[in-house]
Each structure stands twice: as structure tokens, then as C-alpha cells.
Amino acid sequence: MEKNILLITDYNDLYRQDIYRSQGIDLVKFKKTLEENGYFVTQLNYNELLNNDDITSYEGYNVVYTSSENLEYKEYIKDIIYELGKKNNLVPRYDLLMAHEDKLYQEILKKSVGIKSLSAKTYATMKDLYKDIDSVTCPVVIKKCVGAGSISVYKANNRNELIKYAKKIMKSKTFYEYYLKALYKKVKGKLNEHYFDDEKYFGRLVLQQYIPNLECDWKVLVFGDKYYALRRNVRKNDFRASGSGMFSFEIPDYRILDYAKQIYEKMDVPFLSLDLCIDTEGNVYLIEFQGIHFGPYTLINSPHYFKKNENWERVEKKSVLAQEYALAIVKYINEKDN
């Protein structure tokens, strides 16, 4: 692969991976670090690439890009990146863009790379869930597929709660359209007798294995060979740690870091965000992951990072986000070329 990088920014010419997602990382430092490592950087935003340039002319580039929290703009990005991926090396791969804040596709990707943790089932209609409901063991964690920070994440302690939360997640715009159409058809005298046989609850969700008695989970960010770990305590009278705001930079059980390293190597990415937990018997589980457009709080605020030689070594040093992104990309591309 040539040492050419196509760096794509958004409508505000930002590469949004900073601690505030309305901001972008320092592109001057980012590009300088890439160039110091022998790469030639071409920077364009999505609009320029699509409307003022010939997107099909790019071939043999390392395409460095990020995602968006705006679902409509994310679909725009996906269309462009999919086309670029036909003739270029995407950094990260397209399936990490697919998995961005999509818990259902995360489960698919986990299976494809051989990650078996935690056990999960995925559904898009209540009809499908009802078919399997006798095989669901409660308590179980139920999640809406889109979202972050524990939004639309519930613990169903029994079958009734499972149905209640599933319907709450699936009661989308289509639910109300379903009944409005029925009312309209009834007024017009055109309501088919089989109309109400169709499904009215649509919405992608994940049922995930529940781990009891957790006091915390761990946010682990991996950038190349550097590991950053943040303890997140579970909220009082809750089971969730994500979004709790109760954070501390403690030394994790090294089984957490060992498992993070295993997942990172399987995922084949330059950088990775992992939500991990460890049970009372010392088993480590992967709750969720992101390989693109994730919060960098853990890296920016950590007073140290960890590296694995024969054993885990703690390095007391603050990191600079833009430089770590660039160095992780350089390491990833160089290893691919060798």
C-alpha cells in the first residue's frame, strides 16, 4: 500500500474524536505526526469528495475517516465510505463503521471474529421475540440497538418485564402509523380483515446475559500497544455503570487488560474502545465495543497507560489524543504492509 492518506473530515471540517463531540481533534498535530512517519496526507471533507471531486479516482489510499452521532449524516458517510472501500484501505474497516452505536451489528461482528462473550440474542419484532420467549433466562439485560451512555438499557427480572421493556423499545413511529392507517382505512371502508394480523411492533433490540453483583465495569481504550483503563462504578440501586459519572483511574485486575488485548488482536483495528466487566469468580466479559467515533475521556485524563512486554508495565505519562490517534494509525498500516 502506498504511503498516501486520504483524511476525510465532516461538514465543519472536523475529525470528531475529541472529548466533546461537537469538536474535533487537533488536525495540525494529527497530520504532523502522520507526516513525520513518512505519510503524505490529502485532506477533504465529504461534500468536497462527493461533489467537487471524482470519488472514483481514489485508488490505493489509506482512507482515514470517522462516523457521526447524527443517524442521517451517518448514512451519508456510509454510502461514501462503502464506495471508497472498493479500491482503498479503510482505516478502520467498514464493519467498524457498521458497528458504531449499533449493538445488533456488534453482536454479528463479535461472532464473525470468534468472540463469545456475553451470550446474546437479537430481535426486530415482537412476533420473533414471542417465538423464543420460553428460552430466555431472566434476569436479562435488554437494550435498544442504537444509543450510548446506558440510554434505553433495562434489566428485565421476569417475563412480564421483558415484554414491557421490549414493547417500549419497539413502540416506534411505525407503531402509531399502523393505527393511523387502520383508522383511515376504516373511515374509508377499506379496512382489510387481515390488517391486524400484521406486526405492529418493530425495533431492533438485544437481549444480553446479565452478570449479577457487579460493583463496576471498566472502560478500556486501546491505541496500538497502549492500554488506558478507567473504573466506572455502578450507580446506587442500578446495574449500569456507563454514564454514571463515578469514575476513577485505578490499577485494573490484569485479567481485564489480558482480555482487552485478546479482543483487540481479534478485531484487527488501529484503536478500540471496550466496556468490560469481571465477575466474582474472575471471569471477564465484553459488554460493548466501538472501533470508531468513541469518547476519549479515558485517554485524555489518564495519568498513565499500560503496555504488555513479558508482564504488564504501567507507564506514568500523560498522552496527547491527536498524536495517539496518528501513531495508532501508523502502526496499524505499517503492520498491514509487512
Side-chain angles (χ1 to χ4, degrees):
M1 181 68 67
E2 296 289 335
K3 286 209 164 186
N4 292 320
I5 285 179
L6 175 60
L7 172 61
I8 311 179
T9 55
D10 68 7
Y11 52 90
N12 275 340
D13 293 321
L14 297 176
Y15 183 82
R16 295 183 194 248
Q17 294 279 180
D18 207 343
I19 193 164
Y20 300 110
R21 295 190 181 181
S22 59
Q23 298 176 331
I25 65 172
D26 187 331
L27 286 178
V28 174
K29 288 182 181 178
F30 186 55
K31 290 192 287 186
K32 182 181 178 181
T33 305
L34 292 172
E35 289 164 353
E36 286 174 345
N37 283 273
Y39 286 85
F40 304 95
V41 181
T42 299
Q43 179 181 334
L44 291 171
N45 63 42
Y46 287 105
N47 179 62
E48 291 170 334
L49 186 62
L50 193 60
N51 294 317
N52 301 335
D53 210 337
D54 182 3
I55 188 174
T56 62
S57 68
Y58 288 91
E59 183 172 355
Y61 280 77
N62 297 287
V63 177
V64 175
Y65 69 101
T66 188
S67 186
S68 173
E69 291 181 307
N70 183 289
L71 296 182
E72 188 65 24
Y73 195 70
K74 180 183 172 185
E75 290 302 312
Y76 175 69
I77 290 172
K78 285 167 65 176
D79 290 345
I80 296 170
I81 295 301
Y82 177 78
E83 185 62 29
L84 284 170
K86 294 177 180 178
K87 298 179 181 178
N88 302 278
N89 177 40
L90 299 181
V91 184
R93 299 188 322 274
Y94 188 77
D95 49 10
L96 274 301
L97 176 58
M98 291 280 292
H100 173 231
E101 294 192 2
D102 187 334
K103 298 175 178 66
L104 189 149
Y105 191 75
Q106 285 181 29
E107 294 301 327
I108 295 171
L109 186 53
K110 280 165 57 177
K111 290 178 181 178
S112 74
V113 299
I115 297 171
K116 298 179 180 179
S117 171
L118 299 155
S119 62
K121 293 185 175 184
T122 57
Y123 300 94
T125 70
M126 281 302 299
K127 284 188 184 296
D128 286 333
L129 177 56
Y130 279 130
K131 290 174 186 176
D132 287 359
I133 202 162
D134 289 337
S135 67
V136 177
T137 301
C138 291
V140 66
V141 176
I142 179 169
K143 304 178 179 183
K144 186 176 182 178
C145 282
V146 177
S150 293
I151 296 172
S152 297
V153 176
Y154 310 97
K155 184 180 75 164
N157 293 296
N158 52 55
R159 177 172 173 158
N160 288 338
E161 288 187 357
L162 173 58
I163 293 170
K164 179 183 75 172
Y165 290 132
K167 286 184 174 181
K168 182 176 181 179
I169 289 172
M170 290 183 175
K171 192 181 284 187
S172 61
K173 180 181 177 182
T174 56
F175 177 87
Y176 300 102
E177 288 177 344
Y178 179 88
Y179 284 107
L180 284 173
K181 286 180 179 178
L183 179 60
Y184 176 80
K185 288 176 181 292
K186 186 173 183 179
V187 170
K188 292 290 185 179
K190 296 180 180 180
L191 185 62
N192 185 283
E193 61 179 311
H194 298 294
Y195 183 83
F196 288 106
D197 294 336
D198 201 1
E199 179 59 70
K200 54 185 174 292
Y201 288 97
F202 287 93
R204 295 173 302 139
L205 61 80
V206 173
L207 303 183
Q208 191 177 68
Q209 177 187 349
Y210 171 69
I211 305 299
N213 304 317
L214 291 180
E215 296 180 355
C216 69
D217 71 11
W218 290 86
K219 170 67 75 176
V220 178
L221 301 188
V222 189
F223 281 73
D225 58 356
K226 298 177 182 178
Y227 291 70
Y228 304 82
L230 176 71
R231 177 185 167 118
R232 307 186 301 186
N233 288 334
V234 171
R235 289 172 280 199
K236 186 176 181 180
N237 299 320
D238 203 342
F239 68 99
R240 298 167 294 184
S242 176
S244 71
M246 298 185 291
F247 305 150
S248 57
F249 289 98
E250 301 180 16
I251 309 303
D253 186 316
Y254 286 138
R255 286 173 291 190
I256 292 280
L257 297 179
D258 285 335
Y259 193 60
K261 188 171 186 294
Q262 289 177 33
I263 295 172
Y264 177 71
E265 290 170 350
K266 285 185 176 182
M267 292 297 293
D268 183 27
V269 288
F271 29 73
L272 192 62
S273 171
L274 300 168
D275 294 352
L276 303 173
C277 65
I278 184 167
D279 67 15
T280 54
E281 296 179 356
N283 301 304
V284 185
Y285 302 94
L286 172 62
I287 303 171
E288 290 181 16
F289 68 89
Q290 298 289 344
I292 190 171
H293 199 75
F294 49 81
Y297 177 94
T298 303
L299 183 154
I300 291 172
N301 292 284
S302 179
H304 50 245
Y305 58 83
F306 301 88
K307 293 185 76 169
K308 181 70 176 284
N309 295 311
E310 289 187 8
N311 298 302
W312 285 102
E313 173 189 359
R314 181 172 45 143
V315 180
E316 295 294 338
K317 182 181 178 182
K318 293 279 287 184
S319 296
V320 178
L321 180 65
Q323 292 176 346
E324 296 304 332
Y325 262 111
L327 291 173
I329 288 168
V330 168
K331 183 176 185 296
Y332 177 75
I333 295 172
N334 288 348
E335 288 179 352
K336 285 287 186 184
D337 289 344
N338 295 329

